[in-house]
Amino acid sequence: MQRPSGRAPADLRAITLTRNFTCHAEGSVLVDFGATRVICTASVEAGVPRFLRGSGSGWVTAEYGMLPRSTGSRMDREAARGKQGGRTLEIQRLIGRSLRSAVDLKKLGEFTITVDCDVIQADGGTRTAAITGACVALVDALNHLQRKKLLTTDPLRQMVAAVSVGVFQGVPVLDLDYREDARADTDMNVVMGEDGGFIEVQGTAEGKPFQRAEMDAMLDLAVAGIGRLFQLQKEALAG
Amino acid sequence: MQRPSGRAPADLRAITLTRNFTCHAEGSVLVDFGATRVICTASVEAGVPRFLRGSGSGWVTAEYGMLPRSTGSRMDREAARGKQGGRTLEIQRLIGRSLRSAVDLKKLGEFTITVDCDVIQADGGTRTAAITGACVALVDALNHLQRKKLLTTDPLRQMVAAVSVGVFQGVPVLDLDYREDARADTDMNVVMGEDGGFIEVQGTAEGKPFQRAEMDAMLDLAVAGIGRLFQLQKEALAG
Amino acid sequence: MQRPSGRAPADLRAITLTRNFTCHAEGSVLVDFGATRVICTASVEAGVPRFLRGSGSGWVTAEYGMLPRSTGSRMDREAARGKQGGRTLEIQRLIGRSLRSAVDLKKLGEFTITVDCDVIQADGGTRTAAITGACVALVDALNHLQRKKLLTTDPLRQMVAAVSVGVFQGVPVLDLDYREDARADTDMNVVMGEDGGFIEVQGTAEGKPFQRAEMDAMLDLAVAGIGRLFQLQKEALAG
Amino acid sequence: MQRPSGRAPADLRAITLTRNFTCHAEGSVLVDFGATRVICTASVEAGVPRFLRGSGSGWVTAEYGMLPRSTGSRMDREAARGKQGGRTLEIQRLIGRSLRSAVDLKKLGEFTITVDCDVIQADGGTRTAAITGACVALVDALNHLQRKKLLTTDPLRQMVAAVSVGVFQGVPVLDLDYREDARADTDMNVVMGEDGGFIEVQGTAEGKPFQRAEMDAMLDLAVAGIGRLFQLQKEALAG
Amino acid sequence: MQRPSGRAPADLRAITLTRNFTCHAEGSVLVDFGATRVICTASVEAGVPRFLRGSGSGWVTAEYGMLPRSTGSRMDREAARGKQGGRTLEIQRLIGRSLRSAVDLKKLGEFTITVDCDVIQADGGTRTAAITGACVALVDALNHLQRKKLLTTDPLRQMVAAVSVGVFQGVPVLDLDYREDARADTDMNVVMGEDGGFIEVQGTAEGKPFQRAEMDAMLDLAVAGIGRLFQLQKEALAG
Amino acid sequence: MQRPSGRAPADLRAITLTRNFTCHAEGSVLVDFGATRVICTASVEAGVPRFLRGSGSGWVTAEYGMLPRSTGSRMDREAARGKQGGRTLEIQRLIGRSLRSAVDLKKLGEFTITVDCDVIQADGGTRTAAITGACVALVDALNHLQRKKLLTTDPLRQMVAAVSVGVFQGVPVLDLDYREDARADTDMNVVMGEDGGFIEVQGTAEGKPFQRAEMDAMLDLAVAGIGRLFQLQKEALAG
């Protein structure tokens, strides 16, 4: 088996996390997973959605979008079509849940942090790149709140990061690019916390169903890959 | 640990599959997972969506909805709000993918089967009940096509069924009802085929992240539970 | 003249009213007019729409929907199309007005009762079945409020019920099913109160205009038919 | 009983029908029922909706709208709100059905006539004024088709006209203006053809239910009033 | 060069401003620029949009629409299509900005004036006719507020009026009708205040780009034409 | 007068045009006007909109969007709100018209080029930056078509570029940034072709109306500034 990307099964793509990519947001990160590029901005607003008002608890939510020509052929602009598609909603719900598991919402207090993940170039794995970059933008926004003395304790519970794994031509592989993903039998997205626990595991048999042993092998790859992502997040935040 | 339902950790709720529940559809099944009740109808139409025209291949898709007062407090009617929510779209995409893995679309030919899953009473696990019931309705629709001589071979590849598992007060449990689900740390939906392979695994840490050992225990429960669901589907189809 | 249903001109179809059909709503009735089956649930919420706030008056409203395959061929799901059709809005406005004439809104106080009428199987006369069943669900909701001591007087003014009449092959007939309705020259829906007064009369010439004598004959049939419906409502509520 | 308008119970308001009110449409009529003013334009287009293609049959349909400040206080513009309300849809469906009963669609051939009824000033009875004026605009459009030799026979079956009747302070009255309508116990819209048959009868008890005798009296008033409207239509078309 | 309309290059069309055209609005003007006819109504409401609450400042805004058959061939009704088109939004934003420059919003106090401009017949120049007529309706609404003692000073700063200019067959011309506009190389809309200043200048090269000298000539025509419009507005308000 | 940016009145901001910014589009340019950054991608598709089918003519159109946190405070995502705002539609119509004047659509043949302009960071002048960058992306797309032998002649008529000018504290200035724009009395956007003609001139008095002399001074600044933009476009295309 030869991956189209030429990588070994357990190899991540080149990953970069560029902080302060744009100037207005409290946190702004350009994340690259190979040719997949996502702008993640974290915006802080005072106040919370109605269901939390007066609870003393904060909120973290996410929105996701793709520029129309981030992909090989141009997609319709969702704003022009008048609604976000099912895939978009599914991904932004996943990002939001993942980020909320990184934060102690009680310590955040009645602030809302909205993380926008906008894909400017897509080559597979946009949702896992988005989660990995969004968590760094989120930390920058939390630090902003502390620097501004709006918070006195750090609401961060732990970093979260995500990667995709799959079964390509019978072999479990890490961090699939578009060509690999399009031909994989199984595609699984794994989100983990620094404590080693799973936050989300979403596996889908695109072709034939996957067996328990394949699932175990994919999870092993994901655990190792996400470990390296935590290291890269730390380096970016230290930089 | 005592489950609110009083069941043992590996117990399913009372499951019934009532075929021919309504009279117009080619397949119509009322599925009960305890107090969760879902009407699943399979509708056959000649023709396929644009992206398949001329391909010789058929299509299977699903739509999902909840009656406004299927739940403890009334939800807004999605038709009145003017759009389907993210949860609805996510669930109907899951049901559609699951059902397509049950069918050889080439053998189906240029027919579209739309399976509508409408929840009339909700008590947790509506998506897994829907998949389990929808597959029976789908088989009735496939049999209808054969009886009408519109198909000469059976496009059914295998039955699919689904169940939820979770970690409730530290203990892995099968087929959570609403009270259990609302307080569980982890919720996982598992869809399998009769061949023993996984079609979808979607696990979410609602509270604290879940560990590998918990995941293994949940998958064991799911495999056993789904095995019993296959049996109940077979009995219903034989009835 | 032979009705397709084989009934005499003044015969109702078999009518059943099943209370407590689902478990969450304050009132829940499955109403069958022959093969037409509608789930009617009455949901109580504290508070009223903006235009009534502070008035001391309550509100009763209705929503109507059809499951996509309640009909002979599958209809688009209104939630997926992004709007309710004109027919749907027209019917739910009719149901709402009819139910409000059954209730003394001042005595209801600042509660809102929303009655959802969802057709699970259609064979003509869904709106008249819905009104007849909805009124029973409404009474159950009013009784719930009194049992809970949230109301001390009964806001019910009178029962309301409805039936369709038409001119089929020149003969006035009662309670048309789909085959009759599709071929009738005139279709009239009549809503009455127990006091013998008319609440709504909506007659439409589908083919040729109807004459005054035909209208009189149809109204006679409706008055007699609705009299029997009041009897069936009473039996259901006594049951 | 004194009507707010000072009219006798059987009096119509001053009615005028101004043909060729705007210059582009094949038929264009400004209809005044007292202070209620509606622009009715009939537009001819070759072709029919999909469900009639190839049938040889034509189609007549209607759309209805109110200018935002046609009423005492400004209403939201439906185009800005992004949807037509239930009342609007209900009225335009009524106008469309009424006009179709005036035309032999087979003789019309595969043309579509769309009649737009836009209320520029409202004082009660906008839907009945619209039907009465729209029928004149429709005739002008049919004559246009004949003058252009696009049709060789006249598809007009008969004129249709409409008026409202009601019970005001216990007395049946004809053609209610806004002040009367707002305080009437019953409001009934009646559409008739020149042949003396009823096309639509829609009666609603706004306050207390209406009795059979009241209905008979209202219908008598309507029949007489519509007789005069047919005369006014004829004069306008002869003018 | 001969203008299709037969007018000299610097001629306006026949302009009329009919006040009190409809009876409900605080200001109501029918404006005719030749065959272009627009109903402009100004509606006063207490209160202001959220962004101005508590500021002591008022608001003036505009909405624009065309009746479906105001044009040579019928356009879709925007309310039925479910959204206002880009051209509509652009025009109503232009009208709103123009009218706000006529009013001292501080002196208006926390009232909102909404000016609806509805085109009942279109023959080019609808937006400039709308601005010219809307300003008269606005003045009537401001006078209404003073007559009712709701305002003690006049918030009017100056009248505004607008006209289109263009280059037709190489010659700058004033106030283009539809036939001229459709064949012009350049189309420019100019909005001015009585003080001789420009409020909006929007020039578009429909065919070949326009040169500075052409622009100067067009502006000269516009200044002269708008001078005459101010005169006509004054006569209408004095009438 | 001191500009907040410290620039002289006739100074442009630092302008950069980065070609091939993303990898999928036929033309992809990141344009920076100071801190304003816009991604412009040109996408080629075979075929044209319905109104041009069979005409032999091609089409060029544009869409515009802003990332939610491209601005100082987060804006709602238009895709989530379900519609594009009036400002967005107005800008994308302007960009589209401007680009069409750069291309001989007949020579383009039945291809559609869609140029997406997505603002990732906003600091005033996004529409003029977008037009200037989009024209370079468009040229890359036209060159792609020629390189692929899909076109044998170059459809480019001339480059177009755009800049804003305004009156800031009484002084005409070129290329306003956000702080200048927010406090300017007048804002004018000017689009020109290389031939020295004007394609669009859109001037708006934000505060007090502008005089003819101010307009002349602004146009002089714009002509000079756009001359430099043509130079920068040429350098980028030569690079």
Side-chain angles (χ1 to χ4, degrees), chain C residues 165-227:
Chain C
V165 282
V167 177
F168 181 81
Q169 298 186 351
V171 180
V173 295
L174 180 69
D175 188 22
L176 290 78
D177 65 22
Y178 177 75
R179 283 176 303 168
E180 294 165 350
D181 187 34
R183 294 158 54 197
D185 281 321
T186 297
D187 178 32
M188 185 176 289
N189 293 294
V190 180
V191 186
M192 298 182 71
E194 267 179 306
D195 65 4
F198 294 103
I199 291 163
E200 294 272 343
V201 174
Q202 297 196 336
T204 297
E206 309 273 350
K208 64 172 163 40
F210 51 99
Q211 303 301 316
R212 188 73 172 262
E214 290 170 319
M215 186 162 183
D216 287 337
M218 286 189 285
L219 289 174
D220 290 342
L221 282 175
V223 169
I226 290 175

Side-chain angles (χ1 to χ4, degrees), chain D residues 26 69 74 77 116, chain E residues 23 26 69 74 77 116:
Chain D
E26 285 74 30
R69 195 56 195 281
R74 187 177 181 272
R77 185 177 290 267
D116 288 286
Chain E
C23 67
E26 286 73 32
R69 195 56 195 281
R74 187 177 181 274
R77 184 178 291 267
D116 289 284

Side-chain angles (χ1 to χ4, degrees), chain D residues 17-239:
Chain D
L17 292 155
T18 308
R19 285 166 67 211
N20 303 315
F21 182 66
T22 57
C23 67
H24 296 302
E26 285 74 30
S28 173
V29 170
L30 173 69
V31 58
D32 294 10
F33 271 41
T36 288
R37 315 192 79 189
V38 187
I39 301 176
C40 307
T41 61
S43 297
V44 174
E45 286 165 294
V48 285
R50 183 181 307 270
F51 71 94
L52 284 174
R53 271 182 214 153
S55 70
S57 179
W59 189 240
V60 175
T61 187
E63 289 189 2
Y64 172 92
M66 300 181 84
L67 295 200
R69 195 56 195 281
S70 57
T71 46
S73 57
R74 187 177 181 272
M75 300 181 306
D76 284 345
R77 185 177 290 267
E78 290 188 325
R81 288 181 48 222
K83 62 175 176 177
Q84 296 176 291
R87 177 184 171 278
T88 294
L89 292 172
E90 192 172 315
I91 291 176
Q92 70 188 19
R93 285 159 55 90
L94 170 68
I95 301 172
R97 286 195 308 271
S98 298
L99 295 179
R100 281 192 291 280
S101 75
V103 176
D104 183 329
L105 297 174
K106 274 291 174 193
K107 285 194 188 159
L108 177 55
E110 294 206 2
F111 287 100
T112 295
I113 300 179
T114 304
V115 183
D116 288 286
C117 299
D118 285 276
V119 178
I120 61 175
Q121 193 170 277
D123 186 34
T126 63
R127 78 190 72 187
T128 50
I131 291 168
T132 304
C135 190
V136 175
L138 175 64
V139 169
D140 274 334
L142 295 176
N143 288 342
H144 167 91
L145 282 165
Q146 292 169 83
R147 222 166 33 242
K148 293 282 177 188
K149 309 292 184 206
L150 294 163
L151 291 182
T152 52
T153 57
D154 188 352
L156 187 71
R157 286 210 292 226
Q158 62 171 339
M159 295 302 288
V160 302
V163 80
S164 74
V165 281
V167 177
F168 180 80
Q169 298 187 351
V171 181
V173 294
L174 180 68
D175 188 21
L176 291 75
D177 64 23
Y178 177 75
R179 282 175 304 168
E180 294 166 349
D181 188 32
R183 294 157 53 196
D185 282 322
T186 297
D187 179 31
M188 185 175 291
N189 293 294
V190 180
V191 186
M192 297 183 72
E194 266 178 305
D195 65 2
F198 294 104
I199 291 164
E200 294 273 344
V201 174
Q202 298 195 336
T204 296
E206 309 274 350
K208 65 173 165 37
F210 51 99
Q211 303 302 316
R212 187 71 170 264
E214 290 171 318
M215 186 163 186
D216 286 338
M218 287 190 284
L219 290 173
D220 288 342
L221 282 174
V223 168
I226 291 175
R228 273 170 284 159
L229 294 174
F230 286 132
Q231 188 59 35
L232 292 164
Q233 286 178 328
K234 233 164 257 165
E235 289 167 14
L237 284 165

